[in-house]
Amino acid sequence: MRTHKSTVLAAAAFAALSLGLTACGGGDTGAKDAGSASSSQSAAGTTGTTTGGGTAAAGEADQTGAKSGSGSTGGSTATGGSTSGGTGTTGSTAGGGSTTGGKTSATAPACAYGDVKVTAAKADEVPTEHIVLTATNTSSRSCTLLQYPLIAFGPIQTAKDVPAVAKSKPAAPVVLKPGAPAYANVRIALGGAHEDNKVVREFNVNLFAAGGPAEGSIVVKAPAGGLAVDEAVAKTGYWTYELRNGADEF
């Protein structure tokens, strides 16, 4: 009986010891779990902080990017401005173009001898001291009648040059549309019979090209009865759209 009781007591003591140890172990485990939980929360907090920092950094990066983008956009705008400026310059050169677009005189080539027909008529005076030359554009395009008629009252190689009267020069060259005429007043004598006068039945007229006298000569028939020409006093006016008082009186 006593032995059985001792055994029972020993077993009970062992059981109590085991429970105590279990309880202690459980406490440690709980502490460890609590520590782990705390660590997890701290880690989470740290992570959150890091994430927050990352977000802030991202925000700064976005702002920087936005600023950079603005700068870039500004640069593009500036570049665009340059491009626009370049276009303006081109336009201005075309403006020279506009000046070129001052059309006719700039675009119409010089009239060649095959482009015009030249006729002569006596002025309404007695005796005849002047004739009027009429140049008509017989081509299908506009052309520029430059300077004045180069007249030869006789063989071209030996005829005296007929000088031009400066005051009759128009402000701009004459541009003839197809079928349009231009005129030049020409003095041929000082009136009355003179021993130096010669009768001319026909004469030659040359035109000017851009660089000087043009090739080719137009043969002009004198009015009925011929012309009494004194080469020593002969002079010509410039080509003009119409004869003008003063400018074409000489």
Side-chain angles (χ1 to χ4, degrees), residues 1-249:
M1 248 345 246
R2 190 174 290 178
T3 303
H4 176 69
K5 200 178 223 183
S6 298
T7 302
V8 171
L9 288 173
F14 179 78
L17 181 60
S18 295
L19 288 173
L21 291 172
T22 301
C24 290
D28 291 340
T29 302
K32 288 180 180 177
D33 291 340
S36 297
S38 177
S39 298
S40 296
Q41 289 177 354
S42 298
T46 304
T47 303
T49 303
T50 303
T51 304
T55 304
E60 291 178 4
D62 290 343
Q63 290 177 356
T64 303
K67 290 179 181 177
S68 175
S70 298
S72 176
T73 304
S76 298
T77 303
T79 302
S82 294
T83 303
S84 176
T87 304
T89 301
T90 303
S92 188
T93 304
S98 293
T99 302
T100 302
K103 287 187 180 179
T104 47
S105 62
T107 58
C111 297
Y113 76 95
D115 294 329
V116 297
K117 178 182 179 180
V118 179
T119 59
K122 291 180 180 180
D124 187 14
E125 58 188 5
V126 177
T128 300
E129 296 181 347
H130 299 84
I131 60 172
V132 176
L133 297 182
T134 301
T136 304
N137 184 358
T138 57
S139 72
S140 59
R141 58 173 187 159
S142 294
C143 66
T144 304
L145 200 55
L146 298 170
Q147 304 289 346
Y148 52 88
L150 290 165
I151 303 170
F153 289 118
I156 296 177
Q157 293 82 1
T158 59
K160 181 182 177 182
D161 291 337
V162 176
V165 177
K167 72 174 184 176
S168 71
K169 185 176 182 177
V174 172
V175 179
L176 296 181
K177 294 181 179 179
Y183 307 94
N185 192 34
V186 181
R187 172 177 284 282
I188 59 171
L190 289 177
H194 195 281
E195 62 181 11
D196 292 331
N197 287 1
K198 65 179 181 181
V199 176
V200 175
R201 303 292 179 185
E202 64 180 27
F203 55 95
N204 295 286
V205 172
N206 281 49
L207 304 178
F208 274 96
E215 294 184 1
S217 182
I218 302 169
V219 178
V220 181
K221 292 187 177 298
L227 298 171
V229 177
D230 182 356
E231 289 184 287
V233 299
K235 58 186 66 177
T236 181
Y238 282 72
W239 294 115
T240 182
Y241 290 112
E242 59 184 2
L243 296 181
R244 303 147 297 168
N245 293 331
D248 293 305
E249 294 177 346

